[in-house]
Amino acid sequence: LAHGSGGKAMRDLIDDIFVSNFDNPILSQLEDQASFNLSNLLQQGDRLAFSTDSYVVDPLFFPGGDIGELAVNGTVNDLAVSGAKPLYLTCSVILEEGLAVETLRRVAKSMKAAANKAGVQIVTGDTKVVHRGAADKLFINTAGIGVIPSGISISTQNIQPGDVVILNGELGNHGAAILVARGELALETDIQSDCQPLHNLIETILKACPKVHAMRDATRGGLATVLNEFALSSNVGIRLEEESIPVREEVKGICEILGLDPLYLANEGKLVVVVAKENADTVLSVMKSHPTGKDACIIGEVISSPPGIVLLKTVFESERIVDMLVGEQLPRIC
Amino acid sequence: MRIEEIRVRGTVQGVGFRPTVYRLAKAFKLRGDVCNDGQGVLIRVSGSEENLTEFVAKLQQESPPLAKIQELSRTSYEGEFDFDDFVISSSVSNIIKTEIVPDAATCPQCLQEIFDPFSRFYRYPFTNCTHCGPRLSIIHAIPYDRHNTSMSVFAMCPECAKEYRDVENRRFHAQPVACHICGPKAWLERADGKPVTASMFSMMDDVDAVCTLLQKGEIVAIKGLGGIHLACDATQEIAVEKLRQRKKRYHKPFALMARDISIIEEYCTVNAKEKELLTSPAAPIVLLQKKVIEIKQELLIQHSIASSVAPRQNSLGFMLPYTPLHHLILKRMNCPIVLTSGNLADEPQCIDNDEAREKLNKIADYFLFHNREIVNRVDDSVVRVVSEKVQTIRRARGYAPATINLPPGFDRVPQILAMGSELKNTFCLLREKEAIVSQHLGDLQNAAAFNAYQKMLNLYLNLFEHKPEAIAIDKHPEYLSSKLGKELACVNQTKLYFIQHHHAHIAACMAENSIPLNSPPILGIALDGLGYGEDGTLWGGEFLLADYRQFQRLATFKPIAMIGGEQAIYQPWRNTYAHLLAAQLWDTCQRQYTELGIVKFLKQKPLKLLNQIIEKQINSPSASSVGRLFDAVAAAIGIFPEECSYEGQAAIEMESLIDINSLNNYEETNNYHFDVVFLDNIYCIEPAPMWQALLNDLQQQIPQKTIAAKFHKSLVNIIVEMVNLVRQEHLIDRVVLTGGVFQNRILLEKVTKDLQSLEINVLTHSLVPTNDGGLSLGQALITAAQLINN
Ligand SMILES: [Fe+3]
Ligand SMILES: [Mg+2]
Ligand SMILES: [Zn+2]
Ligand SMILES: [Zn+2]
């Protein structure tokens, strides 16, 4: 692709890639905006959820997914963790001059597939081509709208001491897969990214237990960051059991050699659910019977003190503080 | 006849000072009074010139053991004076400048009482008086009165109350005074919760039974003064090894306690200074050189210390009993016992009975509990003597929170709070003329330690009525102490100062050596694990020309990648590999030195991957750390190449290998050589030639201990060389040695000696640790200097 593709032919080409792929009634109208019928939305709930996120990943394609799938699932998940049913997405793309048209096609196709799988429509979009070096290959921004059914109230401020923390599966697969996929490291594994939509699992959970206290997908910054946000906004402590946190052996191996902590590794399909203790069994069993949650397990509990702090009870039985990092993992031991 | 007003400043309140004044005044038949006030103790007294002079002299000689007179001034008194006698007047309590005295070991008089069958304190484990007993460990608010301590639940019996009120008694106003009738009690429990049976009992009592249990090889958790310890017989290998396995503390040396010095002397040499420390009211753990015992003699010694007490170390940490409880347990014990902190792995020690029942029941076989609550955890202090000078390695029980005088120029400092480091944390409160450094609080990444840190901060701020105008933190963005400091500054709207780690180390050393505020810059050599540098990189081998306000970085060690970040601290081989790569010697290793143990070892590691993570800078920050250089060398010569269980272990074990006497025998030419390059405007020490020579030595199968000795000596030489080099451009007549690496005795002694022979005045630590435990003092002083400047 060439920069400054003001030329109609080129613009048409790009637009066509997306429009033909995303093909749906709203998009096909090709207006400057998407419009939808409010009464339809009102039937599904009483509040809108609205979210946006930008996706920059290197490499664009990695085991278990690609940037397109990530861009759809990421926003779907951000909507879904509020309890919302995700409905419509936007898609805005920034391309670096020189990107192969074929690459773009693949990404668009994969976005479409992800959207279908998640049951959402990509209803409006935009593309820009910038100078070589002004962007790295391809950036995607998606925004999304969903509807929150009435009676659902999920917030990071609802967490109570005594609650339990449930996770739907192995930590760090995405982060590790990306590290490996960059091909810069002499690492050979078959770790796949966990990139997946979570809305269906969430819907199942909420059906079984509408009183979920808090929910979040653990993406960048990992589980550690999500739990710290929980602890801070609910002013509670959270204690994790190191032994019960599922981490793949290969991921553990990579972390050991690189000195990384899996608690801070990125995920793209990991759901953290906080529920009252009496609901834990119900939630756990419905999660386990769902394909996206079959490895679900309880990883910790909510405690009243110390407030605002996440602790990890290590295999040595001592309790370490799992802090929110200001920057990257940086040695502190003098 | 003269009437005088005598003003006494220092540690003179709550230590039995007024009764001493009273007793002496009576003896000299003087009239007048004595009282506590905001500045200390005020005496108004009339007598003959001669009598008064003698009275003052006696007062200084006979001041009670815990008192510390800093200043005594006499002026003639002109005011109203009508006393027929000498009396203790009630405190003038408008602005009392509070001072909390450290906990103190049992005094000789109390000791005598607990072993005197006719004393009412016979075998009473909580006997104390104004000269000894718990202080910081039991207080939760000011003023230091019984109702503000954990003694508040014990009402004094008439006998105790009588002694408490009697001016002539040693227990006059001794807040924790107690006896069998009215005070706390100790009892034995089984860790498995079953009742204690008769077979465990001794003729005496539960406390005495502990001795029997220890002799039988059991592990007993003992609740002491500032925390709960785990004890076992130090001469029974099986018991000590059992303790190591259960506690999951596999290598770090255990501290020992022995009944008396003569037992200690069976195992260690104890010089006069060390004896003085052992028997001082602080009663710290003193690191002592192990005696070199001929094998033949060893067989003659009945109980040799189990080798797992301090594996591969040439020193042992000993302390003497410091509470009546410990004295009573050890009365029949003719050999040393292990007395290590009662905790899981890296946790701070337990202080509460229930907590211990929960956390230690799989480690201890028995508990000896008591019902005097430990309000504040106070660990055992650790000290040693290096070249006749006391060095504090861990400053806690017996030392904290005694005040440290500030150097000239800092008389009028605003109140400042310095948050300290991440590991070996202490914090520091600065107020007029003095600094108050907290007891050692440990590793803040540990939840219980961080919790205690916050609790202690609040306690100290309340006890000392401290309202900081400024807060000082380390520049490291991830230190929990720095994050908390930022938060406090934000909430309280106080000024916040970011202090560079090594500058703080240097300032702490300057402060305790009384370097005045406006002195010309001093060359500070700060060698440690690592600290956050001015430029955002990690530092750890710094030569800084510094005063309290600023510094200029003159020289450093070549930055080397820490492969895998913190992993490099626990896996010393990572540093060896990084150093060999940086010295461009790894290729040579693969060609020329293929048979070396370390080369074979490294070849089994995923080296290609490691090269890549260095190159791509994935979690492999560069650090000019001398601590890591030590690790690299230690692993290269075969000490803990794989993994060590605490930071600095490999370096410590390497130092222990060295025979100090042999150190001076090597020809100068036999030493390794470091290059110095001038880069980016600073000198940089390049260790490549040292590595080349070291590999040669390994190839020629030069013994481990010889290589270790040569490395130490070479490091000393390059440090001295560097001082000479920077001396060409800067006036340098004083050098500060600081940072955790200077816990290395050989390095400290030799660098000191060599610099002194160049007529350089060498300043080292004594009151506060050279490691990060001293950091908060330096942070506070630098902040004070900035504020005074403005
Ligand atoms: Fe340091
Ligand atoms: Mg997101
Ligand atoms: Zn006493
Ligand atoms: Zn009594």
Side-chain angles (χ1 to χ4, degrees):
Chain A
L1 290 172
H3 165 63
S5 311
K8 189 163 181 332
M10 188 60 89
R11 247 190 17 231
D12 286 351
L13 169 69
I14 299 172
D15 289 345
D16 182 56
I17 290 173
F18 287 101
V19 175
S20 64
N21 264 299
F22 294 168
D23 172 52
N24 60 58
I26 304 180
L27 181 70
S28 309
Q29 294 168 15
L30 289 178
E31 300 288 344
D32 276 350
Q33 75 291 313
S35 60
F36 7 78
N37 189 314
L38 275 180
S39 63
N40 278 346
L41 300 184
L42 273 169
Q43 281 165 13
Q44 301 179 58
D46 58 359
R47 282 153 300 158
L48 275 185
F50 187 20
S51 179
T52 182
D53 211 335
S54 297
Y55 299 84
V56 289
V57 63
D58 176 39
L60 298 179
F61 301 91
F62 46 84
D66 58 54
I67 189 169
E69 203 180 329
L70 215 60
V72 172
N73 289 340
T75 296
V76 163
N77 292 345
D78 282 349
L79 291 171
V81 291
S82 68
K85 178 179 170 49
L87 294 173
Y88 306 111
L89 297 193
T90 70
C91 167
S92 176
V93 176
I94 293 172
L95 308 162
E96 187 188 15
E97 181 186 358
L99 187 85
V101 176
E102 188 41 41
T103 306
L104 202 57
R105 272 212 181 90
R106 264 178 81 189
V107 171
K109 201 169 269 168
S110 137
M111 285 186 86
K112 172 64 180 169
N116 281 351
K117 198 174 160 200
V120 295
Q121 291 176 10
I122 299 170
V123 292
T124 183
D126 177 49
T127 56
K128 291 277 179 326
V129 182
V130 298
H131 275 299
R132 214 179 268 275
D136 182 15
K137 296 188 281 288
L138 172 62
F139 296 161
I140 303 179
N141 172 280
T142 53
I145 283 180
V147 178
I148 305 175
S150 49
I152 299 288
S153 161
I154 300 169
S155 152
T156 55
Q157 293 173 25
N158 290 342
I159 302 169
Q160 306 281 332
D163 288 358
V164 294
V165 183
I166 304 175
L167 180 71
N168 68 328
E170 293 162 347
L171 276 191
N173 291 355
H174 177 74
I178 292 295
L179 265 176
V180 175
R182 277 187 200 152
E184 296 166 345
L185 302 180
L187 281 169
E188 273 178 42
T189 66
D190 49 8
I191 302 170
Q192 304 258 315
S193 166
D194 57 355
C195 184
Q196 59 184 341
L198 295 166
H199 66 290
N200 198 263
L201 174 66
I202 291 169
E203 205 182 313
T204 314
I205 294 170
L206 290 177
K207 216 171 273 167
C209 172
K211 288 207 184 83
V212 165
H213 287 172
M215 209 153 39
R216 208 34 108 60
D217 59 330
T219 53
R220 257 177 63 172
L223 177 71
T225 304
V226 167
L227 292 183
N228 268 291
E229 284 165 7
F230 280 180
L232 281 174
S233 33
S234 288
N235 204 33
V236 293
I238 295 176
R239 178 163 49 213
L240 301 173
E241 293 272 347
E242 188 174 28
E243 271 176 320
S244 58
I245 298 173
V247 182
R248 248 181 140 71
E249 280 309 314
E250 295 100 304
V251 174
K252 267 189 199 158
I254 290 174
C255 283
E256 202 278 337
I257 198 80
L258 302 192
L260 297 173
D261 186 339
L263 294 178
Y264 294 92
L265 282 189
N267 310 280
E268 286 299 341
K270 284 293 125 46
L271 181 67
V272 192
V273 189
V274 183
V275 292
K277 200 176 187 134
E278 62 264 28
N279 296 325
D281 286 342
T282 318
V283 170
L284 197 60
S285 74
V286 298
M287 282 178 81
K288 279 181 165 168
S289 56
H290 191 282
T292 313
K294 61 181 192 318
D295 297 324
C297 57
I298 293 177
I299 56 166
E301 59 176 338
V302 178
I303 50 185
S304 58
S305 134
I309 284 181
V310 180
L311 309 174
L312 180 74
K313 193 163 178 199
T314 67
V315 287
F316 287 100
E317 289 178 71
S318 64
E319 289 177 348
R320 185 168 69 80
I321 294 178
V322 180
D323 201 25
M324 184 107 82
L325 296 184
V326 175
E328 284 170 31
Q329 295 184 35
L330 188 65
R332 300 180 233 183
I333 298 176
C334 178
Chain B
M1 275 302 193
R2 235 177 99 78
I3 306 178
E4 279 190 11
E5 190 176 82
I6 303 172
R7 153 71 61 205
V8 193
R9 291 192 175 91
T11 309
V12 289
Q13 296 183 3
V15 291
F17 196 82
R18 286 174 304 158
T20 308
V21 172
Y22 176 87
R23 184 174 52 78
L24 290 171
K26 285 286 204 183
F28 283 95
K29 302 201 163 55
L30 306 176
R31 290 180 297 121
D33 76 336
V34 57
C35 69
N36 284 340
D37 68 1
Q39 299 176 55
V41 163
L42 190 66
I43 306 165
R44 287 178 294 181
V45 65
S46 91
S48 70
E49 178 99 41
E50 206 183 310
N51 259 356
L52 287 178
T53 305
E54 223 174 308
F55 165 73
V56 169
K58 273 262 191 232
L59 187 59
Q60 283 170 315
Q61 279 161 30
E62 297 182 17
S63 86
L66 300 184
K68 203 168 74 189
I69 298 178
Q70 252 154 29
E71 195 186 317
L72 187 148
S73 61
R74 297 167 60 181
T75 45
S76 79
Y77 180 72
E78 312 287 333
E80 213 175 293
F81 190 92
D82 53 347
F83 295 103
D84 313 324
D85 201 351
F86 196 88
V87 292
I88 295 183
S89 302
S90 57
S91 299
V92 186
S93 61
N94 36 12
I95 347 142
I96 292 282
K97 186 174 166 195
T98 47
E99 215 168 291
I100 309 299
V101 185
D103 302 286
T106 313
C107 73
Q109 293 104 310
C110 285
L111 184 60
Q112 197 240 321
E113 283 169 327
I114 62 168
F115 289 123
D116 173 6
F118 299 104
S119 162
R120 67 187 191 92
F121 296 102
Y122 181 57
R123 297 196 62 80
Y124 183 58
F126 307 96
T127 307
N128 65 78
C129 71
T130 42
H131 303 162
C132 72
R135 297 286 190 280
L136 174 63
S137 58
I138 57 165
I139 186 170
H140 45 70
I142 49 160
Y144 174 59
D145 280 338
R146 192 178 179 98
H147 65 94
N148 282 328
T149 72
S150 55
M151 287 302 294
S152 62
V153 294
F154 303 99
M156 275 184 237
C157 71
E159 286 246 43
C160 284
K162 203 174 113 207
E163 291 199 26
Y164 179 88
R165 284 194 303 262
D166 179 1
V167 173
E168 317 234 6
N169 194 286
R170 206 173 82 245
R171 297 198 166 84
F172 175 69
H173 282 197
Q175 303 304 340
V177 68
C179 73
H180 282 293
I181 312 274
C182 65
K185 302 207 175 345
W187 69 90
L188 199 59
E189 284 181 21
R190 275 171 61 137
D192 59 13
K194 291 179 186 152
V196 176
T197 56
S199 66
M200 293 150 202
F201 253 96
S202 80
M203 304 277 289
M204 302 274 205
D205 49 40
D206 286 24
V207 173
D208 185 69
V210 172
C211 180
T212 311
L213 291 169
L214 294 174
Q215 286 165 342
K216 283 183 178 167
E218 307 278 16
I219 295 171
V220 186
I222 300 169
K223 182 173 177 183
L225 183 72
I228 295 174
H229 287 105
L230 289 160
C232 72
D233 183 338
T235 63
Q236 297 184 37
E237 183 68 56
I238 297 170
V240 180
E241 192 50 43
K242 181 169 73 175
L243 178 55
R244 282 216 177 274
Q245 294 307 322
R246 289 185 186 175
K247 209 183 155 188
K248 293 175 181 150
R249 170 164 155 158
Y250 302 113
H251 305 288
K252 220 175 188 169
F254 283 146
L256 301 168
M257 182 182 269
R259 185 184 55 216
D260 50 47
I261 293 220
S262 68
I263 295 178
I264 298 176
E265 282 177 325
E266 285 181 38
Y267 308 96
C268 290
T269 52
V270 189
N271 66 29
K273 190 95 202 168
E274 289 161 342
K275 217 167 271 186
E276 189 188 314
L277 284 167
L278 283 164
T279 56
S280 67
I285 296 169
V286 183
L287 299 183
L288 300 167
Q289 289 300 118
K290 271 189 200 165
K291 262 187 185 166
V292 186
I293 301 165
E294 299 283 321
I295 296 178
K296 270 179 281 173
Q297 273 177 293
E298 199 163 359
L299 294 172
L300 293 176
I301 295 182
Q302 285 194 328
H303 322 275
S304 63
I305 304 250
S307 61
S308 55
V309 165
R312 296 180 295 277
Q313 307 273 324
N314 52 18
S315 62
L316 290 171
F318 263 110
M319 58 185 150
L320 289 172
Y322 55 84
T323 70
L325 184 85
H326 295 117
H327 281 289
L328 291 165
I329 292 170
L330 290 179
K331 179 68 176 165
R332 296 187 291 113
M333 196 71 172
N334 295 325
C335 60
I337 62 168
V338 166
L339 204 65
T340 184
S341 48
N343 54 8
L344 295 164
D346 301 325
E347 300 251 284
Q349 61 181 336
C350 298
I351 53 175
D352 175 75
N353 294 356
D354 283 334
E355 184 192 8
R357 284 186 193 105
E358 183 199 319
K359 290 191 169 174
L360 304 180
N361 70 67
K362 289 193 185 73
I363 304 177
D365 301 303
Y366 293 89
F367 295 112
L368 182 76
F369 284 136
H370 61 68
N371 57 349
R372 187 179 71 199
E373 186 201 347
I374 299 172
V375 181
N376 304 308
R377 180 184 300 107
V378 191
D379 290 285
D380 294 320
S381 295
V382 182
V383 302
R384 67 174 179 184
V385 178
V386 176
S387 313
E388 293 292 292
K389 190 171 174 183
V390 179
Q391 256 201 308
T392 308
I393 291 171
R394 183 164 76 199
R395 186 176 177 277
R397 179 180 51 76
Y399 296 109
T403 54
I404 294 170
N405 291 333
L406 295 183
F410 288 99
D411 305 342
R412 286 216 192 114
V413 291
Q415 299 202 336
I416 292 167
L417 165 64
M419 303 298 287
S421 54
E422 179 83 344
L423 265 68
K424 303 186 173 76
N425 175 280
T426 61
F427 59 81
C428 174
L429 310 183
L430 219 61
R431 62 180 186 186
E432 236 174 71
K433 289 182 183 167
E434 57 196 17
I436 299 145
V437 177
S438 77
Q439 75 266 38
H440 162 92
L441 296 166
D443 170 4
L444 298 189
Q445 289 177 54
N446 185 282
F450 189 64
N451 190 24
Y453 173 66
Q454 291 173 295
K455 191 182 141 196
M456 281 306 116
L457 262 175
N458 284 329
L459 178 84
Y460 274 62
L461 291 173
N462 286 331
L463 287 185
F464 296 98
E465 299 176 293
H466 196 273
K467 288 182 191 64
E469 267 179 44
I471 294 178
I473 60 174
D474 191 278
K475 284 199 160 164
H476 197 303
E478 304 294 349
Y479 274 15
L480 288 163
S481 56
S482 301
K483 291 177 182 176
L484 181 63
K486 270 185 212 168
E487 220 174 284
L488 290 178
C490 184
V491 172
N492 302 313
Q493 305 205 336
T494 37
K495 279 176 260 177
L496 184 66
Y497 287 81
F498 294 73
I499 312 295
Q500 200 280 322
H501 190 91
H502 303 96
H503 189 204
H505 271 305
I506 293 164
C509 192
M510 285 164 58
E512 66 161 293
N513 283 287
S514 300
I515 301 297
L517 173 60
N518 291 315
S519 304
I522 294 178
L523 179 66
I525 304 178
L527 311 182
D528 66 3
L530 57 87
Y532 199 78
E534 202 65 17
D535 54 3
T537 71
L538 298 174
W539 293 5
E542 309 310 312
F543 295 72
L544 309 181
L545 190 65
D547 56 27
Y548 288 108
R549 294 194 175 98
Q550 54 205 353
F551 68 87
Q552 183 190 349
R553 195 183 191 202
L554 299 183
T556 184
F557 281 71
K558 180 179 170 180
I560 303 285
M562 289 175 69
I563 312 174
E566 247 169 56
Q567 279 291 64
I569 291 158
Y570 294 104
Q571 298 182 345
W573 61 266
R574 287 174 184 258
N575 306 295
T576 314
Y577 184 62
H579 265 277
L580 290 174
L581 275 185
Q584 298 187 320
L585 281 168
W586 180 244
D587 286 341
T588 321
C589 282
Q590 283 174 303
R591 274 180 279 113
Q592 249 173 289
Y593 301 111
T594 48
E595 290 309 303
L596 294 188
I598 183 66
V599 176
K600 285 183 174 168
F601 179 91
L602 289 176
K603 284 184 96 165
Q604 287 166 19
K605 298 291 172 192
L607 299 181
K608 197 170 161 202
L609 176 59
L610 299 178
N611 296 343
Q612 290 163 334
I613 65 176
I614 298 172
E615 196 189 318
K616 302 287 173 203
Q617 297 184 8
I618 299 174
N619 202 28
S620 299
S622 286
S624 55
S625 162
V626 176
R628 300 290 80 78
L629 172 64
F630 266 90
D631 283 348
V633 171
I637 66 173
I639 300 165
F640 274 96
E642 184 61 65
E643 182 126 29
C644 47
S645 60
Y646 59 95
E647 77 277 4
Q649 183 182 9
I652 290 166
E653 294 195 3
M654 175 160 70
E655 184 194 351
S656 292
L657 283 177
I658 299 170
D659 173 5
I660 296 179
N661 298 319
S662 77
L663 205 63
N664 298 317
N665 293 342
Y666 301 108
E667 293 290 305
E668 202 65 28
T669 49
N670 265 345
N671 287 323
Y672 306 137
H673 171 73
F674 290 83
D675 273 344
V676 174
V677 289
F678 196 68
L679 212 80
D680 298 335
N681 246 349
I682 60 168
Y683 292 109
C684 186
I685 296 173
E686 159 66 77
M690 181 278 297
W691 282 107
Q692 174 70 65
L694 188 145
L695 290 170
N696 274 332
D697 274 3
L698 281 173
Q699 181 87 325
Q700 288 170 39
Q701 300 186 334
I702 305 288
Q704 224 183 17
K705 64 173 188 182
T706 308
I707 298 179
K710 285 172 77 172
F711 168 69
H712 277 74
K713 208 174 162 189
S714 315
L715 193 61
V716 173
N717 290 347
I718 187 63
I719 292 168
V720 175
E721 195 187 316
M722 186 55 80
V723 174
N724 271 322
L725 205 56
V726 299
R727 254 223 292 201
Q728 292 169 5
E729 291 158 53
H730 303 275
L731 177 73
I732 287 161
D733 53 2
R734 284 184 295 196
V735 168
V736 160
L737 303 183
T738 187
V741 168
F742 280 108
Q743 263 174 244
N744 184 307
R745 174 193 286 264
I746 294 170
L747 196 69
L748 179 65
E749 280 185 326
K750 291 227 29 123
V751 171
T752 305
K753 218 178 109 231
D754 288 6
L755 288 179
Q756 281 170 343
S757 71
L758 297 172
E759 285 178 6
I760 287 173
N761 183 4
V762 180
L763 309 175
T764 57
H765 286 279
S766 178
L767 295 177
V768 297
T770 191
N771 60 43
D772 282 5
L775 214 62
S776 61
L777 177 64
Q779 293 171 342
L781 270 283
I782 292 169
T783 305
Q786 319 258 3
L787 285 169
I788 292 170
N789 211 12
N790 295 338

